[in-house]
Amino acid sequence: MQCDYFSAGRCRSCTLMEVPYARQLADKQANARAALAEVAADVRWAEPFASSESGYRNKAKWAVGGTAVNPTIGILGRDFQGIDLRRCGICEPGLLAAFPLLADAIAAMGLAPYDVARRSGELKYLIVTVSPEDELMVRFVVRSTRQLPAIRDGLPGLRQALPGLAVVSVNLHPEHKAVLEGADEIVLSDRATLPMRINDLTLHLPPRSFFQTNTAVAAGLYRQAAGWADEISPGSVLDLYCGVGGFALHCAPASARSVRGIEVSADAAAGARDSALALPDPARFTFEAADAGGQPEVDADLVIVNPPRRGIGAALAEKLEHGSAGHLIYSSCNVTSLAADLARMPSLRPRQARLFDMFPQTAHQEVAVLLERR
C-alpha cells in the first residue's frame, strides 16, 4: 500500500506500511504461534484470515486541530499542532467521502478546536463510524456544552451534506488528559444507534460502545466462532465482555436454550438487547450491564470471552479453570495476555486457533482460540 502521509513522514501510525502484505501476515502468524507455543503446543492452526490492505477501517478517531476557520482532522504532531489526514488510505471509502464535508461543517458551525498547549478551545475529537450500508455515526467530543447550540443549529446543513447521516451525538470531555472521550453523551439525532449488518445479523451500535474496526474481518471472526459453536452444540452460552452482542448472537445454535451476555457498558448491553429483538426467539437472550470479570458464576456449556488488551486476569481465569464450562472461545487482541491467561487454565486445552488480521499495516493482531475441558 502506498501512503503519501507515511512517505512524507507526516504520519507513522501504520508502522508496517513498507512491508509487503504477505510478509506482514506470515510474520503475525509466526508471532502468534510462538507466543502460544508453550500453552497451546497441540493446537491446530487454521490459515490466517486476511484483510484488504487498504480501505478497511470503519471507524476514525480524529483529533481536531487548526482553527475554527480552517480545522484539521487527523492527529496531533509533537508540537500539538494538527496534522490533517482526511485522505487516510486505510479508512473505508464512506469515511473518506465524509471527511471533507465534516471539516467544512466544523468551520461552518464555528467550532473552535481544542489547543492542547494553551488549554483553550472546545472541539477535541471527531469520531466517525460507517456501516456496511454507508450510514454514518458522527460524534463531536467537546469540553463543555458551550458550543452545543452551534452544533444543533448546524445539523440541518450537515444532514443535507451527508444524506447517510444516521446518528449524531456530543460527548462531554472536560478534563485535560490523554483519554479519547468523557462519561456523558448527548444524542442529538432521532436515532440513537447505528445498525451494522454483519453476516445475517444486524447489530445496533450506540455511540459509547465497542465494535471491531474492520467490518469484513469481524464478520469472518464471528463466522469462525459460530462454526465452533455449531460443532459444540451447547445447551447454554455465556458471553463475557459481550459488547453489542456480536459473539453471543452469532454463537447461539438451536441447541442453546439460554444465551447470556455480560458487558460493563450499559449502552452496549442495551444495543445487544435491541439486536436480539429482531431474532425469531429473543426470549432466550439476556444481556446485562455488569463487570464481566467480577461475575460470581461463570458456568455454561460454552463460555466466550473477548476482553480488552489486558486479558481476563487471574481471578476470572481461576473461576473458569474450576468451573463447569466444557468449552471456551477466547478472542484476544494481545497474544501476550492471551498466553498468560491460557497458562492459568490448564484444565481447558486449546484445540483450534486462527489469526484474524484486523489491522493491516500494523503489528496488531486478533487471535481466536477454541478450548475444551480435559
Side-chain angles (χ1 to χ4, degrees):
M1 173 182 168
Q2 166 61 34
C3 175
D4 293 340
Y5 297 124
F6 186 90
S7 299
R10 292 178 60 79
C11 176
R12 290 282 175 163
S13 300
C14 295
T15 55
L16 302 183
M17 186 66 69
E18 295 176 329
V19 179
Y21 184 61
R23 175 67 181 275
Q24 292 183 34
L25 205 58
D27 287 349
K28 290 180 184 183
Q29 176 85 335
N31 178 65
R33 295 182 70 133
L36 302 183
E38 292 187 9
V39 293
D42 299 326
V43 71
R44 184 169 75 250
W45 285 88
E47 286 295 313
F49 192 99
S51 169
S52 298
E53 296 183 43
S54 61
Y56 66 83
R57 279 194 71 98
N58 61 33
K59 186 174 187 177
K61 307 172 184 178
W62 286 149
V64 181
T67 66
V69 176
N70 187 25
T72 63
I73 53 174
I75 59 176
L76 299 180
R78 293 182 179 179
D79 58 357
F80 300 114
Q81 298 302 303
I83 298 174
D84 197 279
L85 300 178
R86 68 184 68 185
R87 296 189 303 279
C88 175
I90 65 171
C91 291
E92 285 196 24
L95 291 179
L96 295 179
F99 291 153
L101 301 172
L102 287 167
D104 291 344
I106 291 171
M109 294 175 189
L111 305 182
Y114 181 61
D115 189 313
V116 175
R118 294 185 173 88
R119 301 194 180 190
S120 63
E122 284 288 321
L123 181 59
K124 291 185 172 183
Y125 300 101
L126 185 69
I127 306 175
V128 191
T129 306
V130 64
S131 76
E133 287 73 30
D134 280 334
E135 289 192 306
L136 293 168
M137 177 189 293
V138 176
R139 302 173 63 205
F140 297 92
V141 181
V142 299
R143 292 177 72 194
S144 71
T145 58
R146 190 174 305 159
Q147 290 191 310
L148 191 55
I151 298 174
R152 289 187 188 276
D153 291 344
L155 280 186
L158 187 58
R159 288 194 179 97
Q160 185 174 6
L162 295 171
L165 188 60
V167 181
V168 182
S169 68
V170 169
N171 178 270
L172 300 181
H173 182 5
E175 298 179 272
H176 180 81
K177 62 181 183 180
V179 295
L180 186 64
E181 59 189 65
D184 296 322
E185 195 89 16
I186 303 170
V187 177
L188 303 181
S189 52
D190 294 335
R191 292 165 59 181
T193 62
L194 179 69
M196 298 286 287
R197 185 71 178 172
I198 306 295
N199 298 315
D200 294 327
L201 295 171
T202 298
L203 304 179
H204 292 274
L205 273 62
R208 300 185 70 244
S209 62
F210 169 79
F211 185 74
Q212 299 284 5
T213 56
N214 189 322
T215 304
V217 178
L221 173 62
Y222 292 144
R223 288 196 301 272
Q224 179 67 76
W228 286 339
D230 284 341
E231 293 176 8
I232 296 165
S233 191
S236 58
V237 177
L238 174 61
D239 184 0
L240 301 174
Y241 311 95
C242 71
V244 295
F247 279 106
L249 296 169
H250 278 85
C251 298
S255 60
R257 297 176 300 276
S258 68
V259 182
R260 180 176 172 226
I262 306 294
E263 166 58 41
V264 70
S265 167
D267 290 346
R273 288 193 290 271
D274 289 343
S275 300
L277 290 175
L279 299 181
D281 48 358
R284 64 179 176 145
F285 293 93
T286 303
F287 292 98
E288 305 168 25
D291 177 14
Q295 292 301 299
E297 298 291 337
V298 291
D299 291 326
D301 294 335
L302 169 63
V303 175
I304 304 166
V305 294
N306 182 28
R309 289 188 59 80
R310 64 179 179 272
I312 63 174
L316 179 53
E318 183 177 1
K319 291 177 185 177
L320 291 167
E321 167 66 11
H322 297 291
S324 64
H327 292 86
L328 173 70
I329 294 176
Y330 194 137
S331 182
S332 171
C333 61
N334 183 347
V335 290
T336 301
S337 61
L338 171 61
D341 287 337
L342 295 187
R344 297 181 177 114
M345 300 182 291
S347 295
L348 290 161
R349 178 175 60 89
R351 285 180 47 202
Q352 299 182 52
R354 193 174 190 184
L355 179 131
F356 293 83
D357 193 19
M358 291 285 182
F359 307 101
Q361 318 307 335
T362 78
H364 297 293
Q365 55 197 303
E366 186 87 12
V367 175
V369 183
L370 172 65
L371 300 99
E372 181 179 58
R373 191 167 296 278
R374 296 178 187 273

